[in-house]
Amino acid sequence: MDEQLIKKVLATVNAGEPYDDVAPEITAVRNWALDLCRQYNFEYNRTGKADIKMLKTLFAKTPANGFTVLPNFHVEFGRNIYLGRNFFANYDCFFMDCAPIKFGDEIKIGPKCGFYTSNHVEDAVGRRAGYVESRPITVGNNVWFGASVTVVGGVTIGDNSIIGAGSVVVDDIPANVIAAGNPARVIRPLRTDDRYRGMEGRTGDYHYGE
């Protein structure tokens, strides 16, 4: 895929204005990313091993110390996704990165989660013509998403928070809380447990597909 074309498409979709989602150049980059996802998922399911090089080609930023993306995952463009250290995405996740999706360090994402930056425009004529608008998603450090969470564009989630399974996150979530529901609301602050004091420097690394 031509890197200049990818940059041109990202400049269009990240501009904060409605854009033609069926334009040929946007379709070309989307199909490139779709093909890489298909290859990655097929080979992972066939061999049980992750092709990290393929993911580094697809994503905008990946950590140097390793990360885990289990099949079958899908993206829109790929190059709008930024991963921090020790990123873990469980099975069947979708990242609709029509605007930047930025994850901090030590992220854990349960199976069947979706991050959706894009909306079809409200105007009926524009929607029929294929116009969409997108807003970024920003996730802090050490956030855990339970299974089947949906996060929409324009949302920021603070450090250390937990998003309960099945939640739909449409508003910002502060740091150090448990949030759940549709729409997701803060349930309570995080509790601490003295059994884990002294483990602040420890990281629980998963080793799938090695």
Side-chain angles (χ1 to χ4, degrees):
M1 172 55 62
D2 179 22
E3 289 293 330
Q4 292 305 312
L5 180 59
I6 294 174
K7 290 179 181 179
K8 179 182 178 183
V9 166
L10 292 182
T12 297
V13 302
N14 292 345
E17 297 293 334
Y19 62 89
D20 182 359
D21 198 38
V22 297
E25 63 271 16
I26 289 177
T27 300
V29 176
R30 181 188 295 116
N31 286 341
W32 166 78
L34 177 61
D35 186 56
L36 279 182
C37 287
R38 284 172 177 158
Q39 293 179 52
Y40 177 85
N41 291 326
F42 177 81
E43 289 300 323
Y44 203 141
N45 285 317
R46 185 178 70 85
T47 67
K49 295 186 180 298
D51 188 337
I52 297 300
K53 182 179 179 180
M54 192 176 296
L55 292 182
K56 286 181 174 292
T57 298
L58 183 62
F59 293 150
K61 176 189 173 186
T62 57
N65 68 326
F67 56 97
T68 300
V69 179
L70 297 179
N72 295 301
F73 94 102
H74 298 280
V75 304
E76 188 81 0
F77 302 116
R79 289 291 181 86
N80 250 341
I81 300 171
Y82 298 77
L83 308 184
R85 292 185 291 107
N86 296 314
F87 177 88
F88 177 84
N90 216 312
Y91 295 98
D92 300 322
C93 289
F94 182 43
F95 305 91
M96 183 179 279
D97 60 313
C98 302
I101 303 176
K102 296 184 177 181
F103 294 101
D105 299 333
E106 310 293 344
I107 299 298
K108 294 177 175 60
I109 300 176
K112 299 185 182 300
C113 287
F115 299 81
Y116 303 97
T117 63
S118 180
N119 257 335
H120 297 280
V121 297
E122 183 175 344
D123 180 87
V125 174
R127 180 160 26 99
R128 187 172 63 245
Y131 275 74
V132 302
E133 50 195 356
S134 56
R135 296 187 296 163
I137 293 170
T138 304
V139 179
N141 298 319
N142 200 32
V143 176
W144 169 27
F145 297 88
S148 300
V149 169
T150 296
V151 182
V152 303
V155 163
T156 296
I157 299 173
D159 293 350
N160 302 315
S161 287
I162 298 171
I163 310 299
S167 296
V168 179
V169 184
V170 300
D171 295 307
D172 291 351
I173 302 296
N176 300 302
V177 300
I178 295 176
N182 181 6
R185 295 286 183 262
V186 174
I187 305 300
R188 60 171 173 82
L190 288 181
R191 296 170 183 151
T192 59
D193 189 326
D194 288 342
R195 289 176 293 182
Y196 306 109
R197 302 291 72 77
M199 294 186 184
E200 286 77 7
R202 176 175 169 178
T203 297
D205 296 328
Y206 292 92
H207 297 282
Y208 289 79
E210 295 186 354

